[in-house]
Amino acid sequence: MTERKDPEYISFTDAAQLLVQRGLVSSMTSQGLRYMARTRKDQDKGPWPFGDKPGQEPYLIAGRTRMMRTALLLEYLEEFPPVGRGADKKPRAARS
C-alpha cells in the first residue's frame, strides 16, 4: 500500500481536518484554527508562525485562500498544542 504524503501547503479547512486525523486534537474547525492564528501573539503559547510580521512566514495566497506550509504548521502545533474548551458536553439553554 502506498503511503500518503502531506501536501506542501494546506488551507485552514484542510489543516483542521489533518490535525484531527493526526490525533493532535480531538476536534477542530477551520474557524477554530483561524481564531488561534489571530490570538496567539504571546511567547508562552508560541507566536503564530504565519503572517506578514517579522519572524513569520508569509501565507501563500491561492485565489482567495491563505495557504500555510504544512510541515511548519505541524511542527508548531506539536510544540504548542491547541488548548480549548472542547466540544459542548450538553445542549445550551434556549434563548428567549
Side-chain angles (χ1 to χ4, degrees):
M1 184 174 217
T2 328
E3 188 177 317
R4 282 189 104 176
K5 289 182 69 177
D6 294 328
E8 191 169 343
Y9 285 85
I10 194 164
S11 68
F12 279 91
T13 302
D14 292 337
Q17 293 172 0
L18 181 64
L19 297 176
V20 173
Q21 289 172 353
R22 288 280 182 96
L24 291 171
V25 293
S26 60
S27 67
M28 176 66 72
T29 64
S30 59
Q31 290 302 321
L33 196 55
R34 286 185 188 95
Y35 177 79
M36 188 184 314
R38 286 191 309 271
T39 59
R40 287 211 171 173
K41 294 178 173 69
D42 54 358
Q43 291 294 337
D44 58 324
K45 288 184 184 173
W48 187 250
F50 304 99
D52 55 2
K53 295 191 172 56
Q56 291 180 316
E57 182 174 298
Y59 289 104
L60 175 69
I61 306 299
R64 296 177 52 198
T65 304
R66 290 179 294 163
M67 307 285 285
M68 303 165 281
R69 195 161 47 92
T70 306
L72 179 59
L73 177 66
L74 291 174
E75 287 171 19
Y76 170 77
L77 292 174
E78 286 171 1
E79 185 175 351
F80 303 103
V83 179
R85 66 173 181 83
D88 282 343
K89 295 192 178 13
K90 59 183 177 180
R92 296 175 188 254
R95 292 185 180 182
S96 32

